[in-house]
Amino acid sequence: MKKNVFSSLHLPGHLDDRARFALWQDIHVAEIWSVEYAIAANQPFAAEIEATPVGPVVLGQMAGTIRHASRKARNIADDGRDGYLLLINHGDTRLSGAQAGRDYSVGKGEAALVSASEALEMSGGDSNVWANIVVPREILESAFAHVEDRLALTVAADNEALGMLRRYCNFLEAGPALVSPDLVTHATETIVDLIGLVTGAKGEPAELAGMRGLRAARLQAILDKIRDNFADPSISAQRVAQQLRLSPRYVHDLLQESGVSFAERVLELRLQRAHRMLSDRRNDRMRISEIALLSGFSDVSYFNRCFRRRFGSTPSSAR
């Protein structure tokens, strides 16, 4: 339960920069997880990792001249790690990358949820500082349905739940190690719950948290319009904005604050309807193309790709 530190300062002093980095990466792969790193070319190599376990959760921070990190299929096969990581950028340089078909870019104070079980890329500047809150996959997925849908979505620096999570983690890291099993369980559950609020994984009630009054009411009206009309092929943020007498930019801004874009919401609702229809024996006589059309898809090939990516099977297999 004590904080562990793995620093390049602990490496033999007689090694040159290249040898120190190679040794550091070998130890990292053996002791932490399999990641391929690249370092700044014009600065001496330096890297420090701090890790504080809280039950099954790990509160970590990494700082140094690591400018690129890559986790490929071979790395995932090497260590079998499958947890989720909430990445929080503490440095002045943006951290950018891709996962699950999405590009992400987090500035200072911003965050994004990533997974250790899917290919991941991340790039920054010559010197970077970031935190990782690592939660085992089974814990986060049992707490929040479809949490994988939240991967690589940027969380704003002023997100109220993110601020609370950072303060709570700082409190745990600064204090003595927790010993009582009840306190460890409480702390773990609190961290997981806050991650759900930060990412929007707790659903619409969580997305409304932090908004007040008129803005919350308008977001709810937008969500209702999307839910009622998602199967209409002509649905658009512009049309919803016109119906509610709002500007399209205001609609996009509110949805961005909630953590899920207009297009992502519409796509998810369409896929969920198609999945329900395919699973219902009363629709056995309907062609898959008809079900796709009734769910709002005008392109069957696009529907098939989205369905397989979302549910891990083809529409015909789901049927």
Side-chain angles (χ1 to χ4, degrees), residues 101 146 150 161 175 185 289:
H146 309 308
R150 318 307 300 165
T185 299
S289 59

Side-chain angles (χ1 to χ4, degrees), residues 29 36 70 94 117 195 220 257:
V29 169
E36 297 173 23
S70 177
R94 297 192 75 84
S117 63
I195 289 176
Q220 189 61 60
E257 289 179 20

Side-chain angles (χ1 to χ4, degrees), residues 22-180:
L23 177 58
W24 183 90
Q25 178 151 286
D26 287 345
I27 296 172
H28 186 284
V29 169
E31 300 293 337
I32 303 177
W33 63 326
S34 182
V35 182
E36 297 173 23
Y37 290 110
I39 57 176
N42 57 352
Q43 292 193 36
F45 167 62
E48 181 168 289
I49 297 176
E50 296 180 357
T52 303
V54 180
V57 174
V58 177
L59 311 180
Q61 178 168 290
M62 184 162 178
T65 57
I66 302 293
R67 64 172 294 114
H68 183 79
S70 177
R71 185 163 164 83
K72 299 180 173 63
R74 61 175 175 269
N75 304 115
I76 297 168
D78 283 345
D79 60 22
R81 297 291 178 89
D82 66 349
Y84 286 95
L85 299 87
L86 185 68
L87 167 69
I88 307 173
N89 186 5
H90 291 327
D92 295 322
T93 305
R94 297 192 75 84
L95 299 175
S96 303
Q99 187 170 66
R102 291 176 178 157
D103 295 329
Y104 67 88
S105 179
V106 291
K108 187 172 185 177
E110 295 179 338
L113 185 70
V114 297
S115 170
S117 63
E118 296 191 41
L120 174 68
E121 298 287 336
M122 187 187 77
S123 297
D126 287 341
S127 182
N128 304 282
V129 184
W130 69 88
N132 282 324
I133 302 175
V134 186
V135 183
R137 172 172 292 274
E138 62 273 13
I139 291 179
L140 207 58
E141 291 186 350
S142 64
F144 310 112
H146 309 308
V147 68
E148 68 276 8
D149 293 342
R150 318 307 300 165
L151 290 176
L153 297 176
T154 300
V155 179
D158 60 357
N159 180 287
E160 187 176 14
L162 179 59
M164 180 173 289
L165 177 61
R166 292 176 63 175
R167 291 192 296 273
Y168 187 67
C169 290
N170 289 339
F171 166 76
L172 292 174
E173 290 174 310
L178 298 179
V179 177
S180 165

Side-chain angles (χ1 to χ4, degrees), residues 272-289:
Q272 291 291 350
R273 170 177 282 189
H275 192 276
R276 288 195 300 272
M277 292 184 70
L278 288 166
S279 303
D280 190 338
R281 287 190 172 275
R282 292 174 296 180
N283 299 320
D284 282 355
R285 293 182 179 273
M286 295 182 66
R287 295 193 301 271
I288 289 176
S289 59

Side-chain angles (χ1 to χ4, degrees), residues 209-281:
M211 295 187 176
R212 297 293 182 267
L214 184 59
R215 290 177 69 81
R218 284 176 170 169
L219 175 61
Q220 189 61 60
I222 293 167
L223 297 178
D224 290 343
K225 283 289 183 184
I226 295 173
R227 191 181 300 108
D228 292 342
N229 301 283
F230 67 86
D232 183 351
S234 65
I235 188 174
S236 66
Q238 290 75 13
R239 176 168 291 190
V240 169
Q242 185 179 23
Q243 292 171 343
L244 297 175
R245 297 184 179 181
L246 303 172
S247 72
R249 180 169 182 174
Y250 189 77
V251 170
H252 284 300
D253 286 347
L254 283 180
L255 291 173
Q256 182 66 32
E257 289 179 20
S258 77
V260 185
S261 71
F262 185 91
E264 289 170 332
R265 287 184 184 278
V266 171
L267 178 60
E268 176 65 12
L269 289 168
R270 288 175 174 175
L271 289 171
Q272 291 291 350
R273 170 177 282 189
H275 192 276
R276 288 195 300 272
M277 292 184 70
L278 288 166
S279 303
D280 190 338
R281 287 190 172 275

